Amino acid sequence: MTEHDRPAPTFARAQDGTALAYQHHGEGPPLVLLAGQANDHHWWDGVREDFHTVRSTVTLDLRGTGDSDKPAGPYSVVQFADDVVAVLDALGIERADVYGTSMGGRVAQWLAIRHPERVRRLVLGCTSPGGPHAVERDASVRRSLAQPDPEAVRSVLADLMYSPAWRAAHPGPYRTLGDPRMPAHARRGHLIASNEHDAWSDLPGIAAPTLILHGDQDRLTPPDNLRLLASRIPGARAHLFPGARHAYFEECRDEAGKLVRRFLVEEGCSRATERDRGRASAPSDSGDPLGEEVRPRAAQEARPTNWA
């Protein structure tokens, strides 16, 4: 599709007047899909339709990306969460399920914290609690992402997103390597916003039933962060995808989509019951990940380091 063939974008207005492009597809109760850092709504193109059997989907171009305005900043994940509310208001949606991956998972945390009445169920993927408690990517990954050559960085990102076997079977193009239309100031604003995220002290107050997903070979956001999130969000359930890297939602598309759809439509597990139990499910890589609940590994057993 060429630029001339694309449908005209639809916009909401943020509190500060920033124009926010959004997309609403399918029928049924709404599911908000939130993309990773420096990416627009095309992040979800490969899997969006998987949810249309049970939900309509709402995506948006976070400020700085896609067709949305690209103000000078500063940007923050709290601001991004408030922008999501502006889109929901424009659509007349009072309450939605929310699925955020990578930085979108950070935004989703703040959406559930600041606007609990707007979030019915919460799915957090390949994300982190942020701050000094988060488990940091290693120094070699940081160095590889700091290269001055954009093509070299895209190659590194592709390797961090997908396993070699999956890339061999799916040669691209990939939708998760950044929005090429982003200006430099917006790209840096997204980086700073993601790096400054720290929801640790507020996570226990999340009221929505929560499912946490992660690839167990994720070097961009190490999978120990899944255990940290599960230890802080009462009643949260978690699942690790063996062999998957950061973009587990594409590499493990069938299994991940099935888990999310099942979680969204289940009715029998109330948030109050999970809080009373005082437990979160341990990460599962087999069997029924939405079934048995056991105590997660304590947060202090994970490797706490500063997030860079």
Side-chain angles (χ1 to χ4, degrees):
M1 180 181 292
T2 68
E3 287 294 308
H4 296 292
D5 295 328
R6 290 194 309 125
T10 306
F11 294 97
R13 289 284 173 182
Q15 294 178 354
D16 63 0
T18 298
L20 304 166
Y22 67 87
Q23 308 78 31
H24 189 196
H25 298 284
E27 297 181 355
L31 169 63
V32 177
L33 300 171
L34 299 174
Q37 175 186 316
N39 281 269
D40 62 14
H41 70 279
H42 292 297
W43 172 279
W44 292 103
D45 282 358
V47 300
R48 176 202 290 270
E49 291 186 358
D50 296 349
F51 304 109
H52 288 165
T53 56
V54 296
R55 293 290 184 269
S56 63
T57 57
V58 177
T59 50
L60 69 150
D61 296 335
L62 292 172
R63 61 176 65 208
T65 71
D67 290 312
S68 292
D69 285 348
K70 301 165 180 64
Y75 296 173
S76 75
V77 288
V78 171
Q79 178 187 57
F80 293 153
D82 291 345
D83 287 350
V84 176
V85 171
V87 169
L88 294 177
D89 287 345
L91 285 165
I93 295 172
E94 294 184 2
R95 200 162 180 241
D97 296 318
V98 177
Y99 183 5
T101 48
S102 198
M103 188 188 78
R106 297 171 173 85
V107 176
Q109 291 167 47
W110 285 110
L111 186 59
I113 291 164
R114 289 171 59 85
H115 307 280
E117 75 284 357
R118 309 304 291 267
V119 180
R120 195 188 76 93
R121 283 183 174 252
L122 179 67
V123 183
L124 303 175
C126 53
T127 194
S128 157
H133 295 281
V135 178
E136 183 184 358
R137 65 193 66 165
D138 65 45
S140 65
V141 173
R142 294 199 304 274
R143 286 194 299 270
S144 66
L145 291 173
Q147 298 177 79
D149 181 357
E151 287 306 313
V153 171
R154 286 180 67 83
S155 178
V156 169
L157 276 173
D159 185 62
L160 292 169
M161 290 286 179
Y162 310 103
S163 68
W166 195 87
R167 291 202 316 277
H170 304 82
Y174 305 116
R175 309 168 183 87
T176 56
L177 307 185
D179 175 8
R181 295 188 289 168
M182 281 187 81
H185 77 270
R187 191 173 298 278
R188 177 163 179 76
H190 271 235
L191 174 64
I192 293 171
S194 190
N195 286 349
E196 291 183 346
H197 166 66
D198 183 359
W200 184 260
S201 63
D202 295 286
L203 290 172
I206 288 181
T210 302
L211 174 65
I212 308 167
L213 305 174
H214 220 114
D216 74 350
Q217 299 301 308
D218 190 347
R219 296 179 65 212
L220 194 59
T221 303
D224 274 346
N225 287 292
L226 173 145
R227 289 188 176 273
L228 291 170
L229 287 166
S231 76
R232 295 295 287 173
I233 303 174
R237 288 173 284 173
H239 182 78
L240 281 170
F241 296 95
R245 298 188 178 184
H246 197 62
Y248 71 86
F249 50 92
E250 286 193 299
E251 185 157 359
C252 303
R253 174 181 177 177
D254 291 344
E255 183 183 2
K258 181 178 180 180
L259 289 180
V260 173
R261 292 192 302 272
R262 178 181 168 189
F263 174 72
L264 295 180
V265 302
E266 70 179 7
E267 297 295 342
C269 193
S270 73
R271 179 64 172 79
T273 299
E274 294 189 11
R275 181 187 289 114
D276 291 344
R277 287 174 179 161
R279 297 180 295 178
S281 66
S284 167
D285 58 11
S286 63
D288 183 358
L290 301 186
E292 181 182 2
E293 292 188 0
V294 297
R295 292 185 182 276
R297 186 175 66 183
Q300 61 265 29
E301 293 180 20
R303 178 170 54 91
T305 58
N306 289 317
W307 184 264

